[in-house]
Amino acid sequence: MAYDVVIVGGGPAGLNAALYLGRARRAVLLCDAGTPRNAAATHMHGYGSRDGIPPPEFRRISREQLQHYKNVEVRDTRVGSVEPHGGGFRVALGDGTTVEARRILVAVGMVDVMLDIPGYKELWGPSIFQCPFCHGWEVQDEAFGVLATEPAYLDYAIVVQGWSRDVTVFTHGSFTVPPEQRERLLHLGMRLEERKIRALHGKDGRLAEVELEDGTRVPRRILFSAPPQRQPELVTRLGLALDEQGYVKVNGVGETSMPGIFAAGDTTTRLQAAVMAASAGAVAGAMLNHGLAMEDADRSYTAATGRPPPARQKPH
């Protein structure tokens, strides 16, 4: 096999997995299609030693540090297909080449599906945020809106209130608010708008007003919203098993329903942030190296003795 691991995705998860595997002296190919999920974000927060760094700068530094490991190769290309081949995988790349690998790590993130509300897509990034930990500090005490399209997001509004006491919850007519939850929100000083949103108005990426279906306009400067997400095409083509929320199922070592294909980062969880994805990438890299090392040892032992390898022991 030309590579021990082909990593699909050059975000925090893929980059950190490449670093771990590189330091383990594994032959690694990192493929980055150049379409980061956080492209709309101007700064990255909550990552120790890198708080406030622009995402492109984070990726540049991470790639620069990978150059120290000559066993790690980075290509700016998309992965077209992954097929089982010879005990490993054959990977067709967007640059027209084909490579082989013993393992695959999918770190492609998720695709955020923009809501069909005029102005939503244009304001996503500069005024509409998903994570208050990532963006709340910079806009603290502004006039917040929380778009709660299902009952669970009513609790999310309570969390968001930690960054501003001026919070209006918009349900967009998606559901009927239970009386006890309505009472709690009002008790906490929040306003509740259950009418549908007709449009979001702003200028130069800055939200100014939320227009409701009857024409009422509610002044707001920031909107917190968690839009629907879907898996990238590669995950769909591979047919990897998903959980009830639509994320890739992995076992304790990060392996998916397809043996030899691992996954890490946003594609596997709703707990999405750069630092969490990087941590997941490190774990995946370590587990991949562990599995490859044991596979090599077993193969060598059997070739030398003609006997199957001893059973692997689990730590207490």
Side-chain angles (χ1 to χ4, degrees), residues 60-120:
R60 184 194 68 77
I61 293 172
S62 298
R63 282 186 170 211
E64 185 178 81
Q65 293 181 343
L66 286 177
Q67 292 176 8
H68 177 71
Y69 305 95
K70 303 306 179 184
N71 47 315
V72 177
E73 180 183 352
V74 178
R75 296 195 199 180
D76 293 313
T77 185
R78 186 176 301 277
V79 169
S81 65
V82 176
E83 298 177 352
H85 174 73
F89 300 92
R90 177 178 287 152
V91 183
L93 306 179
D95 60 12
T97 61
T98 301
V99 300
E100 294 182 3
R102 296 170 66 184
R103 301 286 192 275
I104 304 294
L105 174 61
V106 177
V108 290
M110 295 291 285
V111 177
D112 293 307
V113 181
M114 296 294 97
L115 296 180
D116 188 21
I117 298 174
Y120 189 97

Side-chain angles (χ1 to χ4, degrees), residues 130 146-160 167 169-171 174-175 181 184-185 190 224-229 245 247 270:
Q130 183 170 221
V146 174
L147 182 52
T149 54
E150 57 183 78
Y153 290 125
L154 297 176
D155 290 345
Y156 176 58
I158 295 173
V159 175
V160 166
V167 177
V169 179
F170 299 91
T171 66
S174 301
F175 61 94
Q181 288 188 288
R184 181 171 62 173
L185 292 176
M190 291 188 234
F224 283 94
S225 171
Q229 296 180 327
Q245 293 182 304
Y247 299 103
R270 188 68 184 179

Side-chain angles (χ1 to χ4, degrees), residues 15 71 101 115 202 223 255 278:
L15 288 165
N71 47 315
L115 296 180
L223 184 66
E255 194 169 23

Side-chain angles (χ1 to χ4, degrees), residues 234-251:
L234 178 65
V235 173
T236 303
R237 290 199 302 270
L238 288 172
L240 303 179
L242 307 179
D243 64 21
E244 62 277 2
Q245 293 182 304
Y247 299 103
V248 174
K249 283 185 178 180
V250 293
N251 62 17

Side-chain angles (χ1 to χ4, degrees), residues 261-278:
I261 297 183
F262 289 63
D266 292 357
T267 194
T268 68
T269 178
R270 188 68 184 179
L271 295 175
Q272 298 170 355
V275 67
M276 295 178 185

